[in-house]
Amino acid sequence: MARRKHYNRYDDDFKATAVSLTDIPGVLAKHVAEALDIHEVMLYRWRMEMRRGQVMAKKKNIHIDPEIKSELKRLRKLEREHNLLQEEHSLLKKAIQFSLQQKGKSSSS
């Protein structure tokens, strides 16, 4: 299998912006990585590099668009609600199956 010859290079400002997006409460790094079309592990590595001081970008200069911030929060909220609804749906299906089985057992045929 041939190795990939082209690798994307990201500058420190891009890395710092990506890392600062993960600092938003309620936003998962997984979602930031998907939105930026990068691998999740790469984002975790950048976070580690920022902690160590290897990525030299000033956090003061990073400006995150408030619309993007609110959109990420809204997406996270919708995903939580969706997961909750899926779980409720699954429980209701099981309850219906159980009640149908109970009716089948209690018939006096």
Side-chain angles (χ1 to χ4, degrees), residues 27-72:
V27 176
L28 298 177
K30 172 182 161 183
H31 298 130
V32 173
E34 288 174 2
L36 297 175
D37 197 29
I38 58 175
H39 198 277
E40 193 176 342
V41 173
M42 185 180 293
L43 186 56
Y44 287 119
R45 189 178 71 224
W46 293 348
R47 290 173 73 180
M48 181 181 61
E49 289 173 356
M50 286 290 285
R51 282 192 303 268
R52 291 180 180 169
Q54 295 170 335
V55 174
M56 298 299 171
K58 296 182 173 108
K59 279 200 161 192
K60 304 181 239 186
N61 296 338
I62 299 169
H63 175 70
I64 299 171
D65 188 15
E67 284 184 29
I68 293 173
K69 218 183 231 190
S70 65
E71 186 66 23
L72 285 170

